[in-house]
């Protein structure tokens, strides 16, 4: 288990020991991609062995934080083997450099992959997402504090009502990684891909959690734990 302050220390120490924030983000996005491929039997050659027996329609929902950056990387990789759209709910002026770079890399490959922010113009309903087999939740991540705002809360509620298989990147959006229980509005995922280590609240999700290693230097781990 690793608390939020320990994970932040790992990220800072990783940069010191030669693994930049951008490298970590690329690795977390790759871990998310790999987890989806394993769960749905998608081969790297685009062969379909998934239970649905068809090409998958995937929506990757991203905000402007680093969790969104992880989602941009995953979307860039998933577009090779799935039909992918990205719902960006954040402010394009606010991403940190690493997330901005992964956003740019994605859009430079396929500018049509982005869809309008449904929160801006519609009353959200789960039927808006009925065409997707998978929703990747890369909205808020482990660092969220306090309640989600009304706009994102409506979006999360729509995800939860949809029939899509929901995969959360590191943390179900709306929950704080160090929380002792489940309360408020949060994504209710079918699979959680925890990066580097499980976070305390994830113990409440049992076998829904898988851990994806992201190549953190051993020295950085030691610094964070001390």
């Amino acid at each position: 288990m690793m608390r939020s302050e320990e994970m932040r220390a790992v990220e800072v120490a990783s940069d010191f020991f030669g693994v930049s924030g951008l490298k970590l983000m690329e690795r977390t996005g790759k871990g998310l991609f790999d987890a989806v491929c394993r769960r749905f039997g998608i081969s790297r050659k685009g062969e379909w062995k998934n239970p649905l027996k068809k090409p998958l329609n995937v929506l990757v929902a991203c905000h402007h934080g680093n969790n969104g950056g992880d989602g941009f990387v995953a979307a860039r990789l998933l577009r090779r083997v799935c039909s992918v759209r990205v719902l960006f709910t954040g402010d394009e002026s606010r991403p940190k450099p690493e997330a901005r770079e992964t956003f740019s890399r994605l859009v430079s490959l396929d500018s049509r992959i982005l869809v309008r922010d449904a929160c801006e113009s519609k009353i959200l309903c789960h039927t808006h997402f009925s065409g997707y087999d998978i929703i990747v939740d890369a909205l808020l991540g482990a660092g969220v504090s306090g309640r989600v705002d009304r706009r994102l809360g409506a979006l999360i509620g729509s995800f939860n009502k949809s029939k899509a298989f929901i995969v959360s990147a590191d943390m179900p959006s709306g929950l704080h990684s160090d929380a002792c229980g489940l309360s408020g509005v949060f994504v209710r995922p079918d699979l959680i891909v925890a990066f580097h280590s499980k976070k305390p609240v994830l113990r409440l999700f049992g076998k829904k959690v898988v851990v994806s290693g992201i190549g953190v230097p051993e020295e950085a781990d030691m610094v964070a734990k001390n």
Side-chain angles (χ1 to χ4, degrees), residues 137-155:
D137 159 35
L139 291 171
L140 300 178
V144 66
S145 58
R147 296 182 178 180
V148 298
D149 63 33
R150 182 176 179 181
R151 189 171 66 101
L152 283 180
L155 181 61

Side-chain angles (χ1 to χ4, degrees), residues 90-101:
D91 182 342
E92 288 190 37
S93 69
R94 291 184 63 182
K96 293 180 180 178
E98 295 87 355
R100 185 177 296 112
E101 177 61 23

